[in-house]
Amino acid sequence: MAENRTREMDNSKQQNTPEKPKIGITIGDYNGVGPEIIIKVMQDKRIMNMCTPVIYGSGKILTKYKRMLNMEDFSYHQYNSNSYLNEKKPNVVNCWADPQEVQPGKVTESAGKSAYLSLQKSTDDLKTGNIDAVVTSPINKANIQRDEFRYAGHTEYYADKFGNENDDTLMLLCSDDLRVGVITGHIPLSKVPSAITKELIISKTEVLIKSLEEDFGIQRPKVAILGLNPHAGEDGLLGSEELEIIAPAITEMNQNGQLVFGPYPADGFFGTMLYKKFDGVLAMYHDQGLIPFKTLAFENGVNYTAGLPVVRTSPDHGTAYNIAGKGIANEDSLREAIYLAVDIVKNRRSKVERKIRPNAKQLLSEMKEESKKQAQIDREKDEQRQLEAELAKQQAEEDRKNAEQRGRKENFRNSDRSNFREDTSARQATEEEKEVAEESRNEEQETSENADQNQDRQQRPQKQHQNRNRQNRNQNWKDRKKRNKRNFEGNQGGRPDGKQSNPNTPEQGKPNPDTSRGNDENRGQVRNEGNN
C-alpha cells in the first residue's frame, strides 16, 4: 500500500496538476500523539504532490514538538485570511492566540478547548469551500465537552453540522478492500437491541451502498450484514432479532435489487476471512465491528464518515497518552487517512478511473454459488434432524423391548415362587433315581471284573501246561533230527559208491520199525498231553 502511494505521489509530481485537493488536518488534543504524527507525515515532501495540506492548530505547538522530538526536517507556511496557500509546504492556521503549555500524556482543560477551536475553524472553512476535505486527529471525548460540543465523537459532530433530517450517516472503518460499518455507533451496549430496527438497518445499508459506489467507485457492491446474537441467533434459539428484524430487512433489500447477504455470525465471518468476498460489512454495534477491524488493520486503518456531503476521515486510534511526546508513535494511520480523503475527493470529482467490480455474469455466478452453499447447509440440517429422529425412534423401540423383557422376568419370578416346592421335590426324586442307577451300574461292572479275574486264574495252569508241551515237542523234534543224521552217516559203508552202509540203518525210503514205533509212541504221548 505504501509503495503504491509513493508511486502515485511521484506521478502527481511529474504531472504537476493544478487541481490538487486541499486537505484540512486538525491538531486534536495536543497532549496526545496528534502533533507528533502530523509532523512525521509532513516530513515527506512528496505528499505535497498529492494534496495541499492545511493544518488547524498552532504553529507554536508544532514548533515545540519539532524541537522536543528533534525533527528538524519539518517546516511550514503560516496561513491566514490575508495570505495564500503554499502548495509546496504544509500550511498552518493558528486557531487560538493564548499561549499553551504542552504536557504530553496529561489530560488538561486547555488541550480540550484547543482541540475544539481547531475543529470549529476547519468546519467553517469546509463549509465555505476553502478546503475540500478534513482529516481529524485524535481527541479526548471528555475534556472537549462544552456548551458548543455535546457529542459522543467526531462522527456525531459532523453529522449534525453537515447532515439533515432526511439523510443518514455511517461510521465506516476502511483498510484497503476491508470496509466495516456499524449500525448503532457510539451508544451503550445495553441500548443496542432496542435501537436496532428494520428501518435503521435498511437506512444504514443504503448509505453504505451509495458510499461504495460514489466514494470508492465500486459498481454493484456486495454487502454482508452480521447478526446481533451469538451464532446469528441459531434459528431463534439464542435470540429472535435475526429472524424478526435483520433477515426481513435483508429480504426487502434483495427484492429491490441490492446485493445484500446475511445475517452472518460475526466470529466465523471474520475467522474464516469471509469478509474478503464482500465490498462492505455492516456490524450491529461498535465493538462487534471495530474489534476484528483493528485486529486486522490497526496500524493503517482509517475512520470515514459516510453519507455526508463533505469528506471527513481520521486515524482509527485515540490520543495514546501513554506514548505521547516520546517519538515512537506510528503515523501510518494518519497518512492513510490523508490518502483516503484525497481518493474520495477525486472520485467525487470523477477525475480518476473508477474501480470496476466483476461483471453481472460473474456476480450472478457468485450468487448462485452462495445459494448452493446455503442449500447444502439446509440439506445437512435436514439430514441431522432425520438422523436424530431415527435415533429417537430406535431408542423408543429399545425402551419398549426392555420393558417387555422386564415384564417377562417378573412373570417368571412369580411363577418360580409358586412352583418352587414342586420343582424342588421333582429334582430331588430325579437325583435319587440317578444315584440308584449309578450304584447298579457300578455293582454290575465290579461283578464283571471279578468274573474276568477268576477266569484268568483258572486258565493260567492250562496255558502253562500247553507251553511246556510245546517246548517238549520242539525238543523231541531236535533230538530226532540229530539221530536221523547219525544213522544216515553210519549206513554209507554198504553203498555202491564204496561207502559202508550201516546194517542197522534202514534202507532209504523204508521206515525204521523201531524208529517209527518210537515216533508213533511219542506222537501219541504228545497228543495225550495235549488233550490233558
Side-chain angles (χ1 to χ4, degrees):
M1 185 71 174
E3 293 179 358
N4 294 336
R5 290 296 182 180
T6 301
R7 288 195 293 269
E8 289 180 12
M9 290 190 290
D10 292 339
N11 293 336
S12 298
K13 183 177 180 180
Q14 293 173 2
Q15 294 172 0
N16 196 24
T17 173
E19 297 182 349
K20 293 186 299 181
K22 297 183 289 292
I23 307 298
I25 304 171
T26 64
I27 197 170
D29 189 318
Y30 59 68
N31 286 331
V33 296
E36 178 183 339
I37 59 177
I38 290 174
I39 294 174
K40 286 183 175 179
V41 170
M42 294 303 148
Q43 285 187 120
D44 187 352
K45 301 297 188 290
R46 292 175 299 177
I47 200 167
M48 312 309 164
N49 299 329
M50 296 181 62
C51 65
T52 300
V54 181
I55 303 171
Y56 292 86
S58 168
K60 293 181 179 180
I61 296 292
L62 294 175
T63 301
K64 287 181 180 180
Y65 271 97
K66 170 185 174 180
R67 294 171 180 172
M68 182 190 306
L69 302 176
N70 193 25
M71 293 186 291
E72 299 299 331
D73 291 338
F74 173 71
S75 62
Y76 61 88
H77 167 73
Q78 192 73 50
Y79 171 72
N80 55 50
S81 60
N82 297 323
S83 64
Y84 65 96
L85 285 176
N86 191 327
E87 295 186 354
K88 297 182 179 180
K89 284 185 177 183
N91 298 271
V92 176
V93 177
N94 288 322
C95 299
W96 61 85
D98 298 336
Q100 303 291 334
E101 182 182 0
V102 175
Q103 296 176 287
K106 293 186 178 181
V107 180
T108 64
E109 183 179 355
S110 59
K113 179 181 178 181
S114 299
Y116 168 71
L117 292 175
S118 66
L119 187 62
Q120 183 185 44
K121 179 59 178 175
S122 67
T123 301
D124 294 340
D125 285 354
L126 197 59
K127 287 181 177 180
T128 58
N130 290 337
I131 55 176
D132 300 307
V134 62
V135 178
T136 57
S137 297
I139 62 172
N140 184 319
K141 294 179 177 61
N143 68 358
I144 197 175
Q145 296 296 321
R146 58 200 64 253
D147 293 337
E148 301 85 1
F149 191 97
R150 297 295 180 187
Y151 305 99
H154 283 117
T155 302
E156 292 78 10
Y157 171 81
Y158 282 101
D160 181 54
K161 296 298 181 181
F162 293 94
N164 57 63
E165 296 180 356
N166 297 325
D167 293 333
D168 204 349
T169 59
L170 177 69
M171 182 169 64
L172 184 64
L173 283 301
C174 308
S175 176
D176 295 332
D177 291 332
L178 174 62
R179 305 172 189 90
V180 180
V182 292
I183 288 179
T184 53
H186 293 109
I187 66 173
L189 186 59
S190 60
K191 296 182 180 180
V192 169
S194 60
I196 294 175
T197 63
K198 176 182 174 182
E199 292 74 20
L200 180 63
I201 293 173
I202 293 176
S203 176
K204 295 291 186 180
T205 305
E206 289 177 347
V207 172
L208 176 59
I209 292 174
K210 182 179 179 181
S211 179
L212 292 173
E213 292 174 344
E214 295 182 359
D215 298 337
F216 295 89
I218 300 173
Q219 297 181 359
R220 294 284 290 166
K222 291 174 59 180
V223 175
I225 296 182
L226 306 180
L228 172 65
N229 298 294
H231 305 291
E234 199 72 47
D235 293 331
L237 180 64
L238 303 177
S240 60
E241 286 82 1
E242 285 77 13
L243 296 177
E244 297 175 357
I245 300 175
I246 302 175
I250 294 173
T251 301
E252 181 174 329
M253 288 184 283
N254 288 336
Q255 292 173 351
N256 294 331
Q258 295 169 330
L259 302 179
V260 182
F261 304 89
Y264 293 99
D267 55 349
F269 182 83
F270 287 101
T272 59
M273 294 185 289
L274 190 59
Y275 63 87
K276 292 186 176 182
K277 296 184 179 181
F278 297 92
D279 302 298
V281 181
L282 274 179
M284 289 294 112
Y285 55 93
H286 183 277
D287 286 5
Q288 186 188 47
L290 267 66
I291 289 176
F293 177 86
K294 290 190 176 183
T295 301
L296 295 169
F298 182 76
E299 292 185 351
N300 58 2
V302 178
N303 184 352
Y304 169 57
T305 305
L308 292 175
V310 296
V311 178
R312 177 259 165 175
T313 66
S314 73
D316 71 341
H317 58 76
T319 54
Y321 287 127
N322 59 317
I323 60 173
K326 297 180 180 179
I328 60 175
N330 190 320
E331 73 277 13
D332 289 345
S333 184
L334 177 64
R335 182 182 291 110
E336 292 296 330
I338 297 173
Y339 291 162
L340 182 60
V342 171
D343 288 343
I344 294 175
V345 170
K346 288 184 177 180
N347 281 337
R348 289 189 178 186
R349 290 177 176 177
S350 300
K351 292 296 182 180
V352 295
E353 182 180 357
R354 296 179 181 271
K355 294 185 289 184
I356 304 299
R357 283 285 300 170
N359 57 32
K361 183 176 180 180
Q362 182 175 348
L363 291 173
L364 181 61
S365 175
E366 292 176 354
M367 292 178 64
K368 288 182 178 179
E369 185 67 23
E370 186 71 22
S371 299
K372 288 181 181 180
K373 292 181 179 178
Q374 188 62 41
Q376 178 65 22
I377 294 173
D378 294 338
R379 283 195 298 271
E380 291 177 355
K381 289 183 177 180
D382 292 339
E383 292 175 357
Q384 182 66 22
R385 285 193 289 267
Q386 292 176 0
L387 178 60
E388 291 176 354
E390 184 66 24
L391 292 175
K393 183 178 179 180
Q394 293 178 0
Q395 184 63 37
E397 180 66 19
E398 185 176 352
D399 293 341
R400 185 186 63 79
K401 291 181 179 180
N402 291 336
E404 291 179 354
Q405 187 175 2
R406 286 194 297 270
R408 287 195 296 269
K409 289 181 178 180
E410 185 65 26
N411 293 336
F412 181 74
R413 284 194 294 269
N414 293 335
S415 176
D416 284 349
R417 293 190 188 99
S418 61
N419 298 328
F420 178 73
R421 294 179 180 178
E422 296 178 2
D423 293 343
T424 302
S425 301
R427 284 196 296 271
Q428 290 177 352
T430 302
E431 290 176 357
E432 291 176 357
E433 292 176 358
K434 289 182 179 179
E435 290 177 358
V436 172
E438 185 67 25
E439 290 177 357
S440 299
R441 284 196 297 272
N442 292 337
E443 291 177 357
E444 292 177 358
Q445 185 176 359
E446 186 176 356
T447 303
S448 174
E449 291 177 354
N450 292 334
D452 292 340
Q453 292 176 1
N454 293 332
Q455 185 177 359
D456 289 341
R457 284 194 296 270
Q458 293 175 0
Q459 292 179 355
R460 192 176 300 120
Q462 183 178 357
K463 290 181 179 179
Q464 293 176 351
H465 182 67
Q466 290 176 354
N467 290 334
R468 285 195 299 272
N469 290 338
R470 190 178 298 110
Q471 293 176 359
N472 292 333
R473 284 196 300 275
N474 291 334
Q475 187 63 37
N476 291 334
W477 181 78
K478 292 179 181 179
D479 293 340
R480 196 165 53 249
K481 186 175 180 181
K482 291 179 180 180
R483 285 194 301 270
N484 290 337
K485 183 177 181 181
R486 287 193 299 269
N487 292 333
F488 176 75
E489 292 175 352
N491 291 332
Q492 293 297 317
R495 294 178 56 185
D497 55 5
K499 293 183 181 181
Q500 296 293 329
S501 62
N502 188 358
N504 296 327
T505 303
E507 295 180 5
Q508 188 175 5
K510 292 183 181 181
N512 188 337
D514 295 333
T515 305
S516 299
R517 186 168 51 249
N519 291 337
D520 291 338
E521 290 177 357
N522 290 334
R523 281 194 296 272
Q525 183 180 0
V526 172
R527 282 194 297 272
N528 291 334
E529 290 177 355
N531 291 332
N532 292 333

